[in-house]
Amino acid sequence: VDGSAEPWLKTLQQAGLRPTDTRRQAMLITQPIEIQDGARYARLLPPIGAHPNGLSLQMDIDFAHPAVGVQPLAINITPETYASEIAWARTFAFEQDVEALQRMGLALGGSLQNAVVFGKESALNPEGLRATDEPVRHKALDLLGDLALVGHPIHGHLQAHRPGHGLTHALTQALRKATDCWRLI
């Protein structure tokens, strides 16, 4: 697999969807829930704007690398925008971090075929980036995947600054406990 969700999405699309008799309940955010770690944060707010029956996302990443830097992303998440704007974004790493990751037992199967690896100035992958903001789109993919583990589609507005799996996990834990901040619809 190429480090994105696109191959999985295509497999699911080829298999097709079938309606069921069970109605899936969504989680409507009614009060803000926030997790902060220094300057990093993730917060869920009640829905805003023109997307009241789904999830809108406003986030940014900030890496001290010339090919990444600060990258913002604002998007209303729908099946269509997920497929066209998020699913294709590949995971990424920085060349100077790869050895340390492997010593920790991580990225052991990593290669230029399943991740974007940034050297000192640019991506080392011969094909380059799929978009200049591919890193923030992959972080959005991570964020949405982690939130899916809550078990309900979320109707709200998600804001995140420099998110990561640990921060999102903490947000999902806080969400599960803060039953006064959401209701099932």
Coordinates of all heavy atoms in Angstrom, one line a residue, residues 1-79:
V1 N 0.9 -1.2 0.0 CA 0.0 0.0 0.0 C 0.9 1.2 0.0 O 2.0 1.2 0.5 CB -0.9 0.0 1.2 CG1 -2.0 1.1 1.1 CG2 -1.6 -1.4 1.3
D2 N 0.4 2.4 -0.5 CA 1.2 3.5 -0.7 C 1.3 4.5 0.5 O 1.8 5.6 0.3 CB 0.7 4.3 -2.0 CG -0.6 5.0 -1.8 OD1 -1.3 4.8 -0.7 OD2 -1.0 5.7 -2.7
G3 N 0.8 4.2 1.6 CA 0.9 5.1 2.8 C -0.3 6.0 2.9 O -0.4 6.9 3.7
S4 N -1.3 5.8 2.0 CA -2.5 6.6 2.1 C -3.7 5.7 2.3 O -3.5 4.5 2.5 CB -2.8 7.4 0.7 OG -3.3 6.5 -0.3
A5 N -4.9 6.3 2.4 CA -6.1 5.4 2.6 C -6.8 5.1 1.2 O -7.8 4.4 1.2 CB -7.1 6.2 3.5
E6 N -6.3 5.7 0.2 CA -6.9 5.6 -1.1 C -7.1 4.1 -1.6 O -8.2 3.7 -2.0 CB -6.2 6.4 -2.2 CG -6.9 6.5 -3.5 CD -6.3 7.5 -4.4 OE1 -5.1 7.5 -4.6 OE2 -7.1 8.4 -4.9
P7 N -6.1 3.2 -1.5 CA -6.3 1.8 -1.9 C -7.4 1.2 -1.1 O -8.2 0.4 -1.6 CB -5.0 1.2 -1.6 CG -4.0 2.3 -1.7 CD -4.7 3.5 -1.1
W8 N -7.5 1.5 0.2 CA -8.6 0.9 1.0 C -9.9 1.4 0.6 O -10.9 0.7 0.5 CB -8.3 1.2 2.5 CG -7.0 0.8 2.9 CD1 -5.9 1.5 3.2 CD2 -6.5 -0.6 3.2 NE1 -4.8 0.8 3.5 CE2 -5.2 -0.5 3.5 CE3 -7.2 -1.8 3.1 CZ2 -4.4 -1.7 3.9 CZ3 -6.4 -3.0 3.4 CH2 -5.1 -2.9 3.8
L9 N -10.0 2.7 0.4 CA -11.2 3.4 -0.1 C -11.7 2.8 -1.4 O -12.9 2.5 -1.6 CB -11.1 4.9 -0.2 CG -12.3 5.7 -0.7 CD1 -13.4 5.5 0.3 CD2 -11.9 7.1 -0.9
K10 N -10.8 2.6 -2.3 CA -11.2 2.0 -3.6 C -11.7 0.6 -3.5 O -12.6 0.2 -4.2 CB -10.0 2.1 -4.6 CG -9.7 3.5 -5.1 CD -8.6 3.5 -6.1 CE -8.4 4.9 -6.6 NZ -7.3 5.1 -7.6
T11 N -11.1 -0.2 -2.6 CA -11.5 -1.5 -2.4 C -13.0 -1.5 -1.8 O -13.8 -2.3 -2.3 CB -10.6 -2.3 -1.4 OG1 -9.3 -2.3 -2.0 CG2 -11.1 -3.7 -1.1
L12 N -13.2 -0.6 -0.9 CA -14.6 -0.5 -0.3 C -15.6 0.0 -1.4 O -16.7 -0.5 -1.4 CB -14.6 0.4 0.9 CG -13.9 -0.1 2.1 CD1 -13.7 1.0 3.2 CD2 -14.6 -1.3 2.7
Q13 N -15.2 0.9 -2.2 CA -16.1 1.4 -3.2 C -16.4 0.3 -4.2 O -17.5 0.2 -4.7 CB -15.4 2.6 -3.9 CG -15.4 3.9 -3.1 CD -14.6 5.0 -3.7 OE1 -13.7 4.8 -4.5 NE2 -15.0 6.2 -3.4
Q14 N -15.4 -0.5 -4.6 CA -15.6 -1.6 -5.5 C -16.5 -2.7 -4.9 O -17.4 -3.3 -5.6 CB -14.3 -2.3 -5.9 CG -13.5 -1.4 -6.8 CD -12.0 -1.9 -7.0 OE1 -11.6 -2.9 -6.4 NE2 -11.3 -1.3 -7.9
A15 N -16.4 -2.9 -3.6 CA -17.3 -3.9 -3.0 C -18.7 -3.4 -2.9 O -19.7 -4.2 -3.0 CB -16.8 -4.2 -1.6
G16 N -18.9 -2.1 -2.8 CA -20.2 -1.5 -2.8 C -20.8 -1.4 -1.4 O -20.3 -2.0 -0.4
L17 N -21.8 -0.6 -1.3 CA -22.5 -0.3 0.0 C -23.9 -1.0 -0.1 O -24.5 -1.0 -1.2 CB -22.7 1.2 0.3 CG -21.4 1.9 0.4 CD1 -21.7 3.4 0.6 CD2 -20.5 1.4 1.6
R18 N -24.4 -1.4 1.0 CA -25.7 -2.0 1.1 C -26.4 -1.3 2.3 O -25.9 -1.2 3.4 CB -25.7 -3.5 1.5 CG -25.7 -4.4 0.3 CD -25.8 -5.8 0.7 NE -25.2 -6.1 2.0 CZ -25.0 -7.3 2.5 NH1 -25.3 -8.4 1.8 NH2 -24.5 -7.5 3.7
P19 N -27.7 -0.9 2.1 CA -28.4 -0.4 3.2 C -28.7 -1.4 4.2 O -28.8 -2.6 3.9 CB -29.7 0.2 2.6 CG -29.8 -0.5 1.2 CD -28.4 -0.9 0.8
T20 N -28.9 -1.0 5.5 CA -29.2 -1.9 6.5 C -30.5 -1.4 7.2 O -30.9 -0.3 7.0 CB -28.1 -2.1 7.6 OG1 -28.0 -0.8 8.3 CG2 -26.8 -2.4 7.0
D21 N -31.1 -2.2 8.0 CA -32.3 -1.8 8.7 C -32.0 -1.0 10.0 O -32.8 -0.4 10.6 CB -33.1 -3.1 9.2 CG -33.6 -3.8 8.0 OD1 -33.8 -3.2 6.9 OD2 -33.9 -5.0 8.1
T22 N -30.7 -1.0 10.3 CA -30.3 -0.3 11.6 C -29.9 1.2 11.2 O -29.1 1.4 10.3 CB -29.0 -1.0 12.2 OG1 -29.4 -2.3 12.4 CG2 -28.7 -0.3 13.5
R23 N -30.4 2.1 12.0 CA -30.1 3.5 11.8 C -28.9 3.8 12.6 O -28.8 3.5 13.8 CB -31.3 4.4 12.2 CG -31.0 5.8 12.0 CD -32.3 6.7 12.4 NE -31.9 8.1 12.4 CZ -31.3 8.7 13.4 NH1 -31.0 8.0 14.5 NH2 -31.0 10.0 13.4
R24 N -27.9 4.4 12.0 CA -26.7 4.8 12.7 C -26.8 6.1 13.3 O -27.1 7.1 12.6 CB -25.5 4.8 11.7 CG -24.2 4.9 12.4 CD -23.1 4.5 11.4 NE -21.8 4.6 12.1 CZ -20.7 5.0 11.6 NH1 -20.6 5.3 10.3 NH2 -19.6 5.0 12.3
Q25 N -26.6 6.2 14.6 CA -26.7 7.5 15.3 C -25.4 8.3 15.2 O -24.3 7.8 15.3 CB -27.0 7.3 16.8 CG -28.4 6.7 17.0 CD -28.7 6.6 18.5 OE1 -28.0 5.9 19.2 NE2 -29.8 7.3 18.9
A26 N -25.6 9.6 15.0 CA -24.5 10.5 15.0 C -24.3 11.2 16.4 O -25.3 11.2 17.2 CB -24.7 11.6 13.9
M27 N -23.2 11.7 16.6 CA -22.9 12.4 17.9 C -22.8 13.9 17.6 O -22.0 14.3 16.9 CB -21.5 11.9 18.4 CG -21.1 12.5 19.8 SD -19.5 11.8 20.3 CE -20.0 10.2 21.0
L28 N -23.8 14.6 18.1 CA -23.9 16.0 17.9 C -23.2 16.7 19.0 O -23.6 16.5 20.2 CB -25.4 16.5 17.8 CG -25.6 18.0 17.8 CD1 -25.1 18.6 16.5 CD2 -27.1 18.3 18.0
I29 N -22.2 17.5 18.7 CA -21.5 18.2 19.7 C -22.3 19.4 20.1 O -22.7 20.2 19.3 CB -20.1 18.7 19.2 CG1 -19.2 17.5 18.7 CG2 -19.3 19.5 20.2 CD1 -19.0 16.4 19.7
T30 N -22.6 19.6 21.4 CA -23.4 20.7 21.9 C -22.6 21.7 22.8 O -23.1 22.8 22.9 CB -24.6 20.1 22.8 OG1 -24.0 19.3 23.8 CG2 -25.5 19.2 21.9
Q31 N -21.5 21.3 23.3 CA -20.6 22.2 24.1 C -19.2 21.9 23.7 O -18.8 20.8 23.3 CB -20.8 21.9 25.6 CG -22.2 22.1 26.1 CD -22.5 23.6 26.1 OE1 -21.7 24.4 26.4 NE2 -23.7 23.9 25.7
P32 N -18.3 22.9 23.8 CA -16.9 22.7 23.4 C -16.2 21.7 24.3 O -16.4 21.6 25.5 CB -16.3 24.1 23.6 CG -17.4 25.0 23.6 CD -18.6 24.3 24.1
I33 N -15.3 20.9 23.6 CA -14.4 20.0 24.3 C -13.0 20.2 23.8 O -12.8 20.2 22.5 CB -14.8 18.5 24.0 CG1 -16.3 18.3 24.4 CG2 -13.9 17.5 24.7 CD1 -16.9 17.0 23.8
E34 N -12.1 20.5 24.6 CA -10.7 20.8 24.2 C -9.6 20.1 24.9 O -9.8 19.9 26.1 CB -10.5 22.3 24.3 CG -9.1 22.8 23.9 CD -8.9 24.3 23.8 OE1 -9.9 25.0 24.1 OE2 -7.8 24.7 23.6
I35 N -8.6 19.7 24.2 CA -7.4 19.1 24.8 C -6.3 20.0 24.3 O -6.2 20.3 23.2 CB -7.2 17.6 24.3 CG1 -8.3 16.7 24.7 CG2 -5.8 17.1 24.7 CD1 -8.4 16.6 26.2
Q36 N -5.4 20.3 25.3 CA -4.3 21.2 25.0 C -3.0 20.5 25.5 O -3.0 19.8 26.5 CB -4.4 22.5 25.6 CG -3.6 23.6 25.0 CD -4.1 25.0 25.3 OE1 -5.1 25.2 25.9 NE2 -3.4 25.9 24.7
D37 N -1.9 20.6 24.7 CA -0.6 20.1 25.1 C 0.4 21.2 24.6 O 0.8 21.2 23.5 CB -0.3 18.8 24.3 CG 1.0 18.2 24.6 OD1 1.7 18.7 25.6 OD2 1.5 17.4 23.9
G38 N 0.7 22.1 25.6 CA 1.5 23.2 25.3 C 0.8 24.1 24.3 O -0.3 24.4 24.5
A39 N 1.5 24.4 23.1 CA 0.8 25.2 22.1 C -0.1 24.4 21.2 O -0.9 24.9 20.4 CB 1.9 25.9 21.2
R40 N 0.0 23.0 21.3 CA -0.8 22.2 20.4 C -2.2 22.0 21.1 O -2.4 22.0 22.3 CB -0.2 20.8 20.4 CG 1.2 20.8 19.8 CD 1.9 19.5 19.9 NE 1.1 18.5 19.2 CZ 0.9 17.2 19.7 NH1 1.3 16.8 20.8 NH2 0.1 16.4 19.0
Y41 N -3.3 21.9 20.2 CA -4.6 21.7 20.7 C -5.5 21.0 19.7 O -5.2 21.0 18.5 CB -5.3 23.0 21.2 CG -5.5 24.0 20.1 CD1 -6.6 23.9 19.3 CD2 -4.6 25.1 19.8 CE1 -6.9 24.8 18.3 CE2 -4.9 26.0 18.8 CZ -6.0 25.8 18.0 OH -6.2 26.7 17.0
A42 N -6.5 20.4 20.2 CA -7.6 19.9 19.4 C -8.9 20.2 20.1 O -9.0 19.9 21.3 CB -7.4 18.4 19.2
R43 N -9.8 20.7 19.4 CA -11.1 21.1 20.1 C -12.3 20.7 19.2 O -12.2 20.9 18.0 CB -11.2 22.5 20.6 CG -11.2 23.6 19.5 CD -11.4 25.0 20.1 NE -10.3 25.4 20.8 CZ -9.4 26.3 20.4 NH1 -9.5 26.9 19.1 NH2 -8.4 26.7 21.1
L44 N -13.3 20.2 19.8 CA -14.6 20.0 19.1 C -15.6 21.0 19.5 O -15.7 21.2 20.7 CB -15.1 18.6 19.4 CG -14.5 17.5 18.5 CD1 -14.8 16.1 19.1 CD2 -15.1 17.6 17.1
L45 N -16.2 21.6 18.6 CA -17.2 22.7 18.9 C -18.6 22.3 18.2 O -18.6 21.4 17.3 CB -16.8 24.0 18.3 CG -15.4 24.5 18.7 CD1 -14.9 25.6 17.8 CD2 -15.5 25.0 20.2
P46 N -19.7 22.9 18.7 CA -20.9 22.6 17.9 C -20.8 23.0 16.5 O -19.9 23.8 16.1 CB -21.9 23.6 18.7 CG -21.3 23.7 20.0 CD -19.8 23.7 19.8
P47 N -21.6 22.4 15.6 CA -21.5 22.7 14.2 C -21.7 24.2 13.9 O -22.4 24.9 14.6 CB -22.7 21.9 13.6 CG -23.1 20.9 14.6 CD -22.7 21.5 15.9
I48 N -21.0 24.6 12.9 CA -21.1 26.1 12.5 C -21.3 26.1 11.0 O -21.0 25.2 10.2 CB -19.8 26.9 12.8 CG1 -18.6 26.3 12.1 CG2 -19.6 26.9 14.3 CD1 -17.3 27.2 12.2
G49 N -21.8 27.3 10.5 CA -21.9 27.6 9.1 C -22.8 26.7 8.3 O -23.8 26.2 8.8
A50 N -22.4 26.5 7.1 CA -23.3 25.8 6.1 C -23.2 24.3 6.2 O -23.7 23.6 5.3 CB -22.9 26.3 4.7
H51 N -22.6 23.7 7.2 CA -22.4 22.3 7.3 C -22.9 21.8 8.7 O -22.1 21.2 9.4 CB -20.9 21.9 7.1 CG -20.7 20.5 6.7 ND1 -21.2 19.9 5.6 CD2 -19.9 19.6 7.4 CE1 -20.8 18.7 5.6 NE2 -20.0 18.4 6.6
P52 N -24.2 22.0 9.0 CA -24.6 21.7 10.4 C -24.8 20.2 10.6 O -24.9 19.8 11.8 CB -26.0 22.4 10.5 CG -26.4 22.5 9.0 CD -25.2 22.6 8.2
N53 N -24.9 19.4 9.6 CA -25.2 18.0 9.7 C -24.0 17.1 9.4 O -24.1 16.1 8.7 CB -26.4 17.6 8.9 CG -27.7 18.3 9.4 OD1 -27.9 18.5 10.5 ND2 -28.4 18.8 8.4
G54 N -22.9 17.5 9.8 CA -21.7 16.8 9.5 C -20.5 17.3 10.3 O -20.7 18.1 11.2
L55 N -19.3 17.1 9.8 CA -18.1 17.5 10.4 C -17.4 18.5 9.5 O -17.1 18.2 8.4 CB -17.2 16.4 10.8 CG -15.9 16.7 11.5 CD1 -16.2 17.2 12.9 CD2 -15.0 15.5 11.5
S56 N -17.1 19.7 10.1 CA -16.2 20.6 9.4 C -14.8 20.6 10.1 O -14.8 20.4 11.3 CB -16.8 22.0 9.3 OG -17.1 22.5 10.6
L57 N -13.8 20.8 9.4 CA -12.4 20.7 9.9 C -11.6 22.0 9.6 O -11.6 22.4 8.4 CB -11.8 19.5 9.4 CG -10.3 19.2 9.7 CD1 -10.1 19.0 11.2 CD2 -9.8 18.0 8.9
Q58 N -11.0 22.5 10.6 CA -10.1 23.7 10.4 C -8.8 23.3 11.2 O -8.9 23.2 12.4 CB -10.8 24.9 10.9 CG -9.9 26.2 10.8 CD -10.7 27.4 11.4 OE1 -11.8 27.3 11.8 NE2 -10.0 28.5 11.3
M59 N -7.7 23.2 10.5 CA -6.5 22.7 11.2 C -5.3 23.3 10.5 O -5.4 23.8 9.4 CB -6.4 21.2 11.2 CG -6.3 20.6 9.8 SD -6.1 18.8 9.9 CE -4.4 18.6 10.4
D60 N -4.2 23.1 11.2 CA -2.9 23.5 10.6 C -1.8 22.6 11.2 O -1.9 22.1 12.3 CB -2.6 25.0 10.7 CG -2.4 25.4 12.1 OD1 -1.6 24.9 12.9 OD2 -3.1 26.4 12.5
I61 N -0.7 22.5 10.4 CA 0.5 21.8 10.9 C 1.6 22.8 10.8 O 1.5 23.8 10.1 CB 0.8 20.5 10.2 CG1 1.1 20.8 8.7 CG2 -0.3 19.5 10.4 CD1 1.6 19.6 7.9
D62 N 2.7 22.6 11.5 CA 3.8 23.5 11.5 C 5.1 22.7 11.8 O 5.4 22.3 12.9 CB 3.6 24.6 12.6 CG 4.7 25.6 12.6 OD1 5.6 25.6 11.8 OD2 4.6 26.5 13.5
F63 N 5.8 22.5 10.7 CA 7.1 21.7 10.8 C 8.2 22.6 10.3 O 8.1 23.3 9.2 CB 7.1 20.5 9.9 CG 6.2 19.4 10.5 CD1 4.9 19.3 10.1 CD2 6.7 18.5 11.4 CE1 4.1 18.3 10.6 CE2 5.9 17.5 11.9 CZ 4.6 17.4 11.5
A64 N 9.3 22.7 11.0 CA 10.5 23.5 10.6 C 11.2 22.8 9.5 O 12.3 22.3 9.6 CB 11.4 23.7 11.8
H65 N 10.6 22.7 8.3 CA 11.2 22.1 7.1 C 10.8 23.0 5.9 O 9.6 23.3 5.8 CB 10.7 20.7 7.0 CG 11.5 19.9 5.9 ND1 11.2 20.1 4.6 CD2 12.5 19.1 6.0 CE1 12.0 19.3 3.9 NE2 12.8 18.7 4.7
P66 N 11.7 23.3 5.0 CA 11.4 24.1 3.9 C 10.3 23.6 3.0 O 9.6 24.4 2.4 CB 12.7 24.3 3.1 CG 13.6 23.2 3.6 CD 13.1 22.8 5.0
A67 N 10.1 22.3 2.9 CA 9.1 21.7 2.0 C 7.7 21.5 2.7 O 6.8 21.2 2.1 CB 9.6 20.4 1.4
V68 N 7.7 21.8 4.0 CA 6.5 21.6 4.8 C 6.0 22.9 5.4 O 5.1 23.5 5.0 CB 6.6 20.5 5.8 CG1 5.3 20.3 6.6 CG2 7.0 19.2 5.2
G69 N 6.7 23.4 6.4 CA 6.4 24.6 7.1 C 5.0 24.6 7.7 O 4.5 23.6 8.2
V70 N 4.4 25.8 7.6 CA 3.0 25.9 8.1 C 2.0 25.6 7.0 O 2.2 26.2 5.9 CB 2.7 27.3 8.7 CG1 1.3 27.5 9.1 CG2 3.6 27.6 9.9
Q71 N 1.1 24.7 7.2 CA 0.1 24.4 6.2 C -1.3 24.3 6.8 O -1.5 23.5 7.7 CB 0.4 23.0 5.6 CG 1.7 22.9 4.8 CD 1.9 21.6 4.1 OE1 1.1 20.7 4.2 NE2 3.0 21.4 3.4
P72 N -2.2 25.2 6.4 CA -3.5 25.2 6.9 C -4.4 24.4 6.0 O -4.1 24.1 4.8 CB -3.9 26.7 6.8 CG -3.2 27.2 5.6 CD -1.9 26.4 5.6
L73 N -5.5 23.9 6.6 CA -6.6 23.2 5.8 C -7.9 23.5 6.5 O -8.1 23.4 7.7 CB -6.3 21.7 5.9 CG -7.3 20.8 5.1 CD1 -7.3 21.1 3.6 CD2 -7.0 19.3 5.4
A74 N -8.9 23.9 5.7 CA -10.3 24.0 6.1 C -11.1 23.3 5.1 O -11.0 23.5 3.9 CB -10.7 25.5 6.2
I75 N -12.0 22.4 5.6 CA -12.8 21.5 4.7 C -14.0 21.0 5.4 O -14.0 20.7 6.6 CB -11.9 20.4 4.2 CG1 -12.6 19.6 3.1 CG2 -11.4 19.5 5.3 CD1 -11.7 18.6 2.4
N76 N -15.1 20.9 4.7 CA -16.3 20.2 5.2 C -16.1 18.8 4.8 O -15.9 18.5 3.6 CB -17.6 20.8 4.6 CG -17.9 22.2 5.1 OD1 -17.5 22.5 6.2 ND2 -18.5 23.0 4.3
I77 N -16.2 17.9 5.8 CA -16.0 16.5 5.5 C -17.3 15.8 5.0 O -18.3 15.8 5.7 CB -15.4 15.7 6.7 CG1 -14.1 16.4 7.2 CG2 -15.2 14.3 6.4 CD1 -13.0 16.5 6.3
T78 N -17.2 15.3 3.8 CA -18.3 14.5 3.2 C -17.7 13.3 2.6 O -16.4 13.3 2.4 CB -19.1 15.3 2.1 OG1 -18.2 15.5 1.0 CG2 -19.6 16.6 2.7
P79 N -18.4 12.3 2.2 CA -17.8 11.2 1.5 C -17.0 11.6 0.2 O -16.0 11.1 -0.1 CB -19.0 10.2 1.1 CG -20.0 10.5 2.2 CD -19.8 12.0 2.5

